[in-house]
Amino acid sequence: MEMSENIGLATLLKDMEEAISNASRVPLSNKVMVDRDEMLEFVDKVYEVLPEEIKQARKVLENSDRLIESVEDQGKRILAEAQEKAQLMIRETEIYRSATAQAEAILSEAEAMNMQMRTEAVQYCDDLFAQLQNNLDKALADILKNREDLGKFKYYNKE
């Protein structure tokens, strides 16, 4: 079995699943016979790939942090612009109350937009992490099941 250095976790698990699916069946049972060395090689490759998956998760986290920072900066700019507009309106308008009401509306809208953008950014990041967690949970569950199945194999001596 030849595998490239850049193989992904999903591809590796798919190859493992294919090897198990194509394995010879044990008569009168729901068991299959797999090549022990091949399965152990798959497990070794999974252990090699997991750090890369974790690095990718860290990159997602860094990107989400940058996204949140960007949203916060944009919100601050919007608030600053709103405050500048409010000050300008106070200076230039004839009716102070009208200027105050408009400035408050702009500030309120800017704060609402800022809150919405932050909420959406956090939700986006949470969705990415949930998806990543789900993928890693599935991979780990498959590995544990396969190891458990190997341990049940009649001639397998786990020493």
Side-chain angles (χ1 to χ4, degrees), residues 52-65:
E52 184 60 34
E53 296 287 332
I54 292 170
K55 285 179 190 175
Q56 289 176 1
R58 284 188 182 129
K59 286 180 183 177
V60 168
L61 179 60
E62 290 170 6
N63 289 339
S64 65
D65 287 345

Side-chain angles (χ1 to χ4, degrees), residues 76-130:
K76 288 176 185 176
R77 280 194 307 274
I78 290 170
L79 288 173
E81 289 172 11
Q83 289 171 345
E84 286 177 26
K85 286 181 182 179
Q87 290 298 322
L88 181 62
M89 288 173 70
I90 290 171
R91 283 184 249 128
E92 293 180 351
T93 59
E94 304 162 7
I95 305 170
Y96 177 76
R97 286 184 198 182
S98 176
T100 302
Q102 288 178 0
E104 288 175 358
I106 290 170
L107 283 172
S108 178
E109 182 179 337
E111 288 172 344
M113 286 176 56
N114 182 34
M115 183 56 94
Q116 180 182 355
M117 286 190 290
R118 289 184 83 182
T119 300
E120 289 172 359
V122 168
Q123 182 62 49
Y124 173 76
C125 293
D126 186 55
D127 290 344
L128 284 176
F129 283 121

